Structures are given as C-alpha cells and as structure tokens.
Amino acid sequence: MNKEDAYYFNELKKAVAVSFLKHHSAPDSIKNWKGEDIVLFQEDLLNKMKAKVSEKWFYTYFKNDADKLPRIDMLNMLAQYVEFKNWHAFKQSIGITIEKKRFKKRYLFIAFPILVFALMYFGIDKENEFHFCFVDDVKNQSIADIVLDIKVLQTQESPLYFKTDSLGCFNYKTKTDFVKFVVQSPYHKTDTILRYIDSNSNKTVKLSTDDYALMLHYYSNGKVKDWKKHKVHLEGLIANDAQIYQLFDSSIGVEVFTKEEFIRLLTIPTQNLKHVQVLDKTVRNGQIVKLKFIVK
C-alpha cells in the first residue's frame, strides 16, 4: 500500500471510530478495540449498512497495518457508514482539507514577513494619546473655573490620578487602544468615561450638573436676599438625620455638624460664608443624607 492510500485509509478508520462512538462506549483508537467492542461494531454495521465484516477481516485491516487496501466494495460501504456517498467522495473531502492546510501554511509563510514589517514600521511600543475637554451640559460652556479630579482605571493595576488644566482639559498617553476613567466635580455628577482610540475624534465630554451641589454653592455665597425662604429651602434639601462633617486644611481633625447647625452656618450672612466649599455628598430620596465641606 503506498503512502497516499495508507493515509486515506487511516483517516477512514478514524472516521469509523468517531461514528461508532456516537452511540457506543469503546476506546478512542480502533486499534484498542477488543472482543465485545468488535462484536458491537459488527452489529452496528449490520443494522446500518446491512453488511457484516468478519473478525478476521477486522484484525487484518483495522487492528493491524495492512499491506493493501480492502476491496472497493468494502471501502464504499465503510465510507457510507461515515455518511459519505462512496470511497471516492470520502477521499475528495480529505483532499480538500489537506489543500486548505497547505494554503494556510503558504498564507502564513507570506503573511508573517508582512506582519513583522508592519510591527517594525508602526512600532510595537507605540503609545495612543487621548485628549478630553469637559463642558457643562446646561451652560454648554467649558468647565475651566474649577479643577476636576480624574481617576484613570487600569486593568489589574492601581488607578492613576490627574487633574484638569486651566482650560478644563485632560491629556493621557497609553499603549492600550482605550482609556477608562472616572471624572469628579464639586458641582457635577460623577461619571465614568470609556473611550476607544478609533472613536477619539469626539474629544468633548459633557458633565451633568448636580442640582444639590449648585444650590448649596448658591446659598453659601450669600446671594439670597430673603433669608427666611432661604432657610426653608435648606431644611427641605437636607435630611433631618443627615451626617455633616467639616474638614480642615491644616489638620486631620473633623467637626461634626447637626442639620440645624449647618443651616445656621449658611443662613447667617458673614464674611466666612463665601468660603464654604462642598467636598462630597450623598443624596437619598431627594435629600442630602451625608455631606463633607471645608471652609477656606
């Protein structure tokens, strides 16, 4: 048996084993089948193909390496057992698979130098540069009068922290093709931004205003003439059991305020009132339940 015939016949034996094992239990390799396995195969062949092979034939062609191919009628029958029209059709299908493998090898042989050249030309370590500018979604104006905090989220690494520049913008370079970051503002809602380099043409990021922070800012700057109405608004804005903390620049100390004490601070027109800055807050059911501020 020449090498080509031997190859096709070995592939046929593998296909026969796969077909048989769909409904029976036996070793994966047909060479390892024993008495009961062979009997079950003979019965399965008889039920499906109305044909039978002897145990001697099985040992000659399946268990051992035969010197020649079986008769063509046996090859056709086995090909039909594995759902092909005949032996010729089975060989054709195997030949197409071989040709595909050869094509892939030729393709890789040609494509590999091109890939290497592309990596050398464009640079494996090339960095992508992202540029963002932040805009207030109500005023549609650049947020340049306050500094925004940027926390860049990295995969399996600690975050990186940045701040916006005097124009309200932020630049970042990375070897990845995307950037994910959290932007925080005293008077805007915290937002998480995900942007890929191929969609980085839109460099403007709009931030939604935080109504609660803006109202506190408005009140703390003493721009309300009717102080009685001002106090009523604040009482509705802040929950009765709100946790309110004053932080200090020069120490790690914290002073705790009640709701009434904080409202008194905001409703008594003093020079210090203009220096109250809200650092953080938590809103639940339409009211502030936790607040941190500093007096500068």
Side-chain angles (χ1 to χ4, degrees), residues 146-171:
I146 58 174
V147 177
L148 306 182
D149 292 311
I150 308 294
K151 180 170 71 173
V152 177
L153 306 176
Q154 300 188 105
T155 305
Q156 297 180 344
E157 290 187 34
S158 301
L160 299 175
Y161 296 90
F162 302 90
K163 292 184 181 295
T164 52
D165 58 24
S166 59
L167 299 177
C169 299
F170 158 66
N171 293 298

Side-chain angles (χ1 to χ4, degrees), residues 189-200:
K189 294 179 180 178
T190 299
D191 199 0
T192 300
I193 308 298
L194 173 63
R195 191 69 57 82
Y196 286 86
I197 192 65
D198 56 2
S199 61
N200 195 38

Side-chain angles (χ1 to χ4, degrees), residues 220 265 268-277 294-296:
S220 66
L265 175 68
I268 297 176
T270 64
Q271 187 63 32
N272 285 339
L273 194 59
K274 297 183 180 180
H275 302 291
V276 172
Q277 180 181 342
I294 192 169
V295 178
K296 291 190 174 182

